[in-house]
Amino acid sequence: MKKISGVIASAAILAVGFAGSAFAEFPERPVKLIVPWAAGGDTDNIFRPFAAEFQKHLGQPVAIANVTGASGTVGAREAKNAPADGYSLYAVHDYIHLTYYAGLGDVKYSDFEPICLVAATPSVLTASAKTPFKTWAEFLADAKKRPGQISVGATLGSTSHIFPALIEKGAGIKLKYVSYDGLAPRMNALLGGHIDLTDSNLTQKGKVEAGLLRFLAIASPERDKEMPDVPTLKELGVNLVYEVVRGLLVPKGTPAPARAKLEEACAKATKEASFAEAMKKQGTRVAFLNAKDYGAFLDKIDGENKTIMTELGLMKK
Amino acid sequence: MFELLGDGLVTMLQWKYLVPLCLGTLIGIVGGSLPGVTITMTIIVVVPFTFGLDPLQGLAAMTGVYVGGSAGGLVTASLLGIPGTPSAIATTFDGFPMARRGEPGRALWLGVWASFFGGLIGGAFLIFVTGPLAAIALEFGPWEFFSLFVLAMAMVAGLTEGSMVKGLISTGIGLLITVIGTDPITSVPRFTFGSEFVRAGFPFLPVLIGVFAFAQIMTDVEKLGRPGTRAAAAARASASLRVSQLKVLGEILSRPFLLVWSTVVGIAIGVLPAIGGSAANMLAYDQAKKFSRHPEAFGTGTPEGIIASESSNNANVGGSLVTIMAFGIPGDAVTAVMLGAMTIHGIQSGPLFVSQNPELAYGIYAAYILAHPIMVLILGVGTLFLLRVTRVRLAVLAPVVLVLCAIGAYALNNTMQTVYVLLTFGIIGYVLVKLGFPLAPLILGLILGDQIELNLVRAIMTDADPLLFLTRPISAGLLAAAVLSVALAMWQHLRHQRRVATADGETDF
Amino acid sequence: MILGRDGIAGLILAGISLVLFVHSLGLPHLPIVPVGPGFYPRIVLGFLGLASLALVAQDAMAQRARAERAAGEPRNHRLVLALFAAFGAYVALMPLAGFRLATFAFVAAVQALLDPPRRAAQWAVLAAVALGTVTATYLVFETYLLVLLPRGTWTGW
């Protein structure tokens, strides 16, 4: 009996929900933001300040849920299977395309509806201070002399792997990859000289200033104002811009009024001066795109990532 | 340096900083004592509140949570036999038997004071030898980590009272659990046989709580309705909750070598990234047993076991702070969140952190030191209520504890998946205990499994030469120590067996 | 040769190790990593298999005279099974009925199971404990710690 009345009750709730007008009230309870990486990581550090601004404009608390594991695919699956009611958001970056094509996960970006693009973090090629090369030119000469000898720490099949792989292709060199998931373990290994190179970002500025690391080149369109001494790959003759872009998605089927409300709150949150300030400390720039543009952008980078993965021979057979 | 530290202490003693520090410590103790709620989770909860505070207030609160959390785990471990946090696993080995014997107050206060002294000695290391310690930690490449983990397992497999073979099998089962699911390097699903549930793997925390909570509660449930149970329960209910602080302090301070050595083990493990407090307490416990004149008393409620475990895990916190102070690299999830919060406050963490922000750095040192007496005070008030837990009827305690375990497992990943894992391993753990397999080596295998594989494969990916494990001096030394440790354990074991011919492996975990 | 409990456990573990070892040989291998995903599992399984066989051998050689101590104390295994079943039902019910209803039912049921109340006052205590657990955990975790506990698909609550 209880079960039946429960079913009726939930059906009634659903019916009211779909009537649309009820969504004028959205959101009426806290919203869950699924971050597929661990607390304290780069993605987490970007979305926590974002959530603080976002909830102000949304009018309901935003609870961050770190759903971690298996190169972020556990979180992706969790987000995909979450109810499409606007109360489950998903913080995503380029890995969603890569893990799909590498066959690590079965979740595709098109399983979701775009809300907005939030931020972009340019990749920086970083070398250990224990390596002999001090500049990009010295690195290039050394790499050509010892093909396949210089080691790179990377999360295999993710952005930190693709970025050096693109450099290999652009500069005509060959590197050796060692599996280190996440920036913190890579930094430890780099400081100890157990790996020679890694992909990092401007958050590691302090270690460069202390002479423990070297930034060889940044993959942004132009030099960063905070670190004007780091040359861009473009000026070094490698035509490569590589930024990790992070945005918000919701499961497919989320009602349009809820999406509109989320998009509006996101637009306002990313315009806050305090958010721009917080992002600067993360070596990141605020890069808002609305749902429509973000959707088009996702289509574009998905195609690009497919090409990259095919060219690098990392596509699932 | 002393001047800076003095200034830091004076600053920290202002209400402005003392209040967040006390609140943080209190929240940490509560979070730490709830089984399944990790220190990481507790600190994440505190972070948003620190946004509105000035950076040092925020850091004081977070340091308080870290110290309080490490101590809070001992409450659940001693009184319920379930580790409140992974860093209190070894505390259950002796703390719980002592509490069961009718001395819950003594068990608890031994833990509290051991945490206090361990933390303070750890603090001294943190302040005075940060640089050299961190430099040694950096020398640890994949080869050294691999060898260190082998040593750790060799140490703990020898801990068991029963057969050493069973200890080794338990280690193997622990390692096997980490192998199941998605491969950590190329994400190939292993041994899943097509099951989505298995594919997601078995995260450490729900397995730990499942194994301990069910093994503990079920062993009690078995005895329900048995003649004598009621009498035993009545005896326990009337057991004195009073405890002589002087006597407890005396018990700890009369063992300076044990205290210092456990602390050193805790710091050493804390400084090395990727291991954390969960291994430190078990290794310190093993060391205490090896050095003890009464190794056979371990596991029956000896004060030495509690002191070793609790002093090492609070010292471990000091060790983890070392890598943050020296390089701005988090050593574990808790320090990763602290670091994240620092950057949000606009503090540039990194190797220049101490020299560029001396008032902040010494403020953290001061907060770390002051959090310890605060922790003792809070627990002093808290134990008046907490000790009553031992008097609660099993029929009430069991469901409430299991609900807390379920929530803890759920909150880890915010999915039901981890709750299913909790139940699965509750059953497996109970069966293993019934068959006389010790749980400690299993848990250590579980903690280290992923890291052993990662470092082994990293070593091979970096250089194909397998001899490097033996030619790199630190790695070779660690492997030699592993062999020595097994030999010593076997010798101690044989000597013990010759002395007492009776063996009872019952509930040997 | 009659094997004891240890011997049987050892044989089972050795069997599992062997099956998984064979299975690990068929795991796909990515060219970018010099050793495949089956490399480390084979080391673990080899170790576990050998240790299990050692246990079998130890058990077979052990004195049969060793007293079977199972007879010593009567144990309430039926209650243990019932408690496992109750927890299983709780876990299954949580996503359907929602955290609050499932927890109330679980805490009430386990109390009734372990210490059956006889008087009305005892039933009242039982209900109060169940209600108190639900209220306290829900308040602390959902409102304060922002852990969004499972909502029931049947009840939406």
Side-chain angles (χ1 to χ4, degrees):
Chain A
M1 191 60 219
K2 207 177 213 170
K3 177 183 165 185
I4 295 168
S5 63
V7 171
I8 293 169
S10 52
I13 290 166
L14 280 177
V16 175
F18 282 124
S21 64
F23 269 101
E25 299 299 319
F26 175 89
E28 53 188 6
R29 56 181 168 90
V31 169
K32 172 164 153 181
L33 172 59
I34 296 171
V35 173
W37 309 98
D42 278 341
T43 306
D44 191 69
N45 282 344
I46 285 171
F47 278 98
R48 277 186 195 271
F50 172 75
E53 305 291 346
F54 187 58
Q55 64 187 3
K56 262 195 287 188
H57 296 287
L58 200 60
Q60 280 287 346
V62 175
I64 292 189
N66 299 96
V67 184
T68 60
S71 303
T73 55
V74 174
R77 198 170 301 126
E78 175 75 11
K80 181 186 170 185
N81 297 334
D85 54 9
Y87 291 102
S88 297
L89 309 178
Y90 171 37
V92 74
H93 75 63
D94 308 66
Y95 87 99
I96 187 80
H97 312 286
L98 299 166
T99 49
Y100 178 77
Y101 288 118
L104 305 183
D106 47 8
V107 182
K108 210 173 174 209
Y109 80 103
S110 52
D111 292 324
F112 300 92
E113 308 260 14
I115 296 296
C116 62
L117 182 69
V118 174
T121 314
S123 287
V124 183
L125 184 67
T126 311
S128 165
K130 298 197 176 173
T131 55
F133 35 87
K134 293 199 169 51
T135 62
W136 166 265
E138 289 174 31
F139 156 67
L140 203 62
D142 199 22
K144 293 212 157 120
K145 214 167 14 174
R146 309 184 285 147
Q149 295 279 308
I150 295 175
S151 59
V152 187
T155 307
L156 298 184
S158 191
T159 50
S160 58
H161 181 191
I162 302 305
F163 173 56
L166 287 170
I167 292 178
E168 274 186 305
K169 192 160 83 84
I173 51 175
K174 188 94 196 73
L175 303 170
K176 174 170 71 178
Y177 291 91
V178 183
S179 168
Y180 280 92
D181 271 27
L183 191 56
R186 287 205 288 277
M187 280 300 135
N188 266 310
L190 205 63
L191 255 53
H194 307 296
I195 50 173
D196 299 323
L197 290 175
T198 196
D199 152 53
S200 80
N201 52 48
L202 293 174
T203 52
Q204 305 306 318
K205 203 172 76 177
K207 298 180 193 79
V208 173
E209 283 163 355
L212 293 173
L213 299 178
R214 299 183 194 122
F215 283 163
L216 295 183
I218 185 167
S220 53
E222 49 209 62
R223 291 189 181 210
D224 189 271
K225 286 190 200 75
E226 302 278 311
M227 288 295 274
D229 296 341
V230 183
T232 65
L233 278 170
K234 264 191 167 164
E235 32 178 301
L236 295 168
V238 181
N239 190 12
L240 175 62
V241 170
Y242 196 82
E243 297 183 308
V244 179
V245 292
R246 294 177 168 91
L248 281 187
L249 301 177
V250 288
K252 197 141 206 117
T254 303
R259 281 189 281 142
K261 177 82 186 145
L262 291 167
E263 186 183 341
E264 187 197 331
C266 176
K268 285 182 184 158
T270 48
K271 282 195 188 69
E272 294 279 352
S274 51
F275 181 62
E277 190 58 32
M279 286 304 97
K280 211 164 96 188
K281 284 157 196 158
Q282 299 296 336
T284 296
R285 65 185 174 85
V286 179
F288 175 76
L289 282 182
N290 65 21
K292 195 165 141 279
D293 296 343
Y294 183 36
F297 177 77
L298 281 171
D299 292 336
K300 187 177 101 161
I301 60 171
D302 187 65
E304 286 173 7
N305 276 302
K306 190 176 175 182
T307 316
I308 295 170
M309 295 292 276
T310 317
E311 283 177 6
L312 297 177
L314 295 170
M315 276 293 259
K316 188 184 163 193
K317 296 292 175 295
Chain B
M1 182 183 265
F2 285 103
E3 211 172 295
L4 281 164
L5 186 60
D7 289 351
L9 284 168
V10 170
T11 312
M12 205 39 70
L13 280 169
Q14 295 167 21
W15 284 116
K16 193 180 156 199
Y17 298 106
L18 204 55
V19 171
L21 180 63
C22 290
L23 282 177
T25 313
L26 176 65
I27 296 168
I29 291 175
V30 173
S33 58
L34 289 171
V37 176
T38 55
I39 305 174
T40 318
M41 208 184 122
T42 318
I43 215 162
I44 289 174
V45 171
V46 172
V47 166
F49 294 100
T50 66
F51 289 165
L53 306 173
D54 83 34
L56 189 53
Q57 285 176 312
L59 286 169
M62 287 187 284
T63 309
V65 172
Y66 203 0
V67 172
S70 299
L74 78 92
V75 176
T76 336
S78 321
L79 300 184
L80 298 179
I82 302 166
T85 58
S87 56
I89 293 168
T91 312
T92 60
F93 300 162
D94 280 302
F96 186 59
M98 185 185 279
R100 267 294 153 96
R101 216 163 56 193
E103 297 178 283
R106 182 174 168 221
L108 201 63
W109 277 102
L110 274 170
V112 173
W113 284 115
S115 291
F116 177 81
F117 290 115
L120 288 190
I121 301 172
F125 274 95
L126 168 64
I127 295 166
F128 298 110
V129 279
T130 293
L133 271 183
I136 296 170
L138 277 191
E139 289 305 311
F140 272 63
W143 303 271
E144 287 74 23
F145 275 114
F146 177 81
S147 304
L148 175 74
F149 299 150
V150 171
L151 168 63
M153 287 192 303
M155 281 160 75
V156 172
L159 259 185
T160 54
E161 273 317 312
S163 94
M164 180 125 178
V165 176
K166 281 191 174 174
L168 290 173
I169 291 179
S170 276
T171 311
I173 295 174
L175 293 176
L176 180 61
I177 294 168
T178 64
V179 160
I180 298 170
T182 309
D183 144 46
I185 292 166
T186 52
S187 303
V188 174
R190 289 190 297 210
F191 310 138
T192 59
F193 299 99
S195 152
E196 266 307 307
F197 169 65
V198 180
R199 183 184 170 135
F202 304 120
F204 164 61
L205 203 76
V207 176
L208 170 77
I209 319 166
V211 164
F212 272 91
F214 281 96
Q216 196 51 61
I217 288 171
M218 291 307 180
T219 324
D220 285 345
V221 166
E222 288 180 342
K223 294 174 190 157
L224 264 188
R226 220 174 62 190
T229 315
R230 284 194 183 270
R236 200 154 60 232
S238 64
S240 170
L241 303 185
R242 301 184 70 82
V243 59
S244 156
Q245 302 288 348
L246 273 179
K247 198 169 151 244
V248 167
L249 279 172
E251 281 187 291
I252 295 173
L253 295 176
S254 62
R255 297 181 171 91
F257 177 75
L258 174 70
L259 189 63
V260 171
W261 187 242
S262 308
T263 307
V264 168
V265 171
I267 292 169
I269 299 294
V271 170
L272 295 169
I275 316 178
S278 25
N281 66 97
M282 283 198 263
L283 299 187
Y285 185 86
D286 166 81
Q287 292 288 296
K289 186 175 174 181
K290 288 229 168 74
F291 285 123
S292 171
R293 255 166 295 171
H294 311 285
E296 69 283 351
F298 278 71
T300 61
T302 174
E304 290 164 281
I306 304 174
I307 296 169
S309 173
E310 281 306 319
S311 56
S312 74
N313 69 21
N314 269 57
N316 186 266
V317 174
S320 312
L321 289 173
V322 165
T323 41
I324 275 213
M325 291 292 187
F327 302 116
I329 296 176
D332 59 6
V334 184
T335 43
V337 175
M338 283 180 75
L339 203 64
M342 277 191 341
T343 32
I344 288 168
H345 276 299
I347 301 159
Q348 191 53 252
S349 75
L352 301 181
F353 173 72
V354 180
S355 51
Q356 280 175 349
N357 308 284
E359 65 303 329
L360 271 183
Y362 283 89
I364 294 176
Y365 292 145
Y368 176 81
I369 293 170
L370 284 177
H372 283 89
I374 293 173
M375 177 264 298
V376 172
L377 282 177
I378 293 176
L379 280 172
V381 177
T383 43
L384 297 176
F385 308 98
L386 287 169
L387 284 173
R388 286 172 206 281
V389 165
T390 51
R391 290 181 174 181
V392 176
R393 280 182 304 141
L394 182 64
V396 171
L397 197 62
V400 174
V401 169
L402 289 179
V403 166
L404 287 176
C405 292
I407 298 177
Y410 177 83
L412 175 73
N413 240 358
N414 292 281
T415 62
M416 282 306 289
Q417 159 83 19
T418 35
V419 187
Y420 304 143
V421 173
L422 174 81
L423 174 62
T424 310
F425 281 89
I427 298 171
I428 293 177
Y430 178 68
V431 171
L432 287 176
V433 168
K434 286 273 108 185
L435 291 174
F437 287 98
L439 291 184
L442 182 140
I443 294 298
L444 194 74
L446 203 60
I447 294 170
L448 299 180
D450 263 353
Q451 288 295 327
I452 294 178
E453 168 162 25
L454 282 172
N455 283 292
L456 178 62
V457 176
R458 275 173 195 162
I460 296 170
M461 285 177 94
T462 313
D463 199 319
D465 183 6
L467 280 178
L468 280 173
F469 287 104
L470 298 176
T471 51
R472 290 177 64 105
I474 302 180
S475 171
L478 291 166
L479 285 179
V483 174
L484 209 69
S485 176
V486 173
L488 188 67
M490 282 167 102
W491 177 72
Q492 224 175 28
H493 203 72
L494 284 177
R495 197 184 53 165
H496 175 60
Q497 269 186 341
R498 233 171 274 157
R499 240 190 263 162
V500 257
T502 51
D504 187 10
E506 189 193 0
T507 57
D508 175 27
F509 62 88
Chain C
M1 183 179 78
I2 306 155
L3 283 180
R5 244 178 8 176
D6 282 358
I8 295 166
L11 276 182
I12 293 172
L13 284 170
I16 294 175
S17 306
L18 186 68
V19 170
L20 293 182
F21 194 98
V22 172
H23 186 80
S24 76
L25 296 169
L27 289 171
H29 185 164
L30 279 158
I32 188 136
V33 186
V35 291
F39 171 74
Y40 169 74
R42 281 194 289 275
I43 298 176
V44 172
L45 290 166
F47 169 75
L48 183 59
L50 287 180
S52 306
L53 290 178
L55 185 67
V56 177
Q58 206 179 44
D59 189 61
M61 285 188 298
Q63 304 276 318
R64 277 300 101 201
R66 177 185 53 157
E68 292 292 332
R69 58 191 166 76
E73 300 160 337
R75 302 210 164 227
N76 210 334
H77 287 295
R78 201 178 297 165
L79 211 51
V80 170
L81 269 182
L83 185 51
F84 269 124
F87 192 76
Y90 172 50
V91 167
L93 199 64
M94 211 192 292
L96 301 176
F99 171 79
R100 283 166 281 188
L101 289 179
T103 302
F104 181 84
F106 174 73
V107 177
V110 173
Q111 287 182 78
L113 182 74
L114 296 185
D115 193 3
R118 283 177 211 94
R119 283 174 288 122
Q122 288 173 325
W123 281 106
V125 169
L126 181 149
V129 168
L131 198 64
T133 311
V134 173
T135 319
T137 49
Y138 187 79
L139 278 182
V140 170
F141 286 92
E142 179 105 10
T143 29
Y144 182 60
L145 299 184
L146 275 182
V147 175
L148 303 183
L149 294 162
R151 250 155 251 276
T153 47
W154 290 351
T155 55
W157 190 62

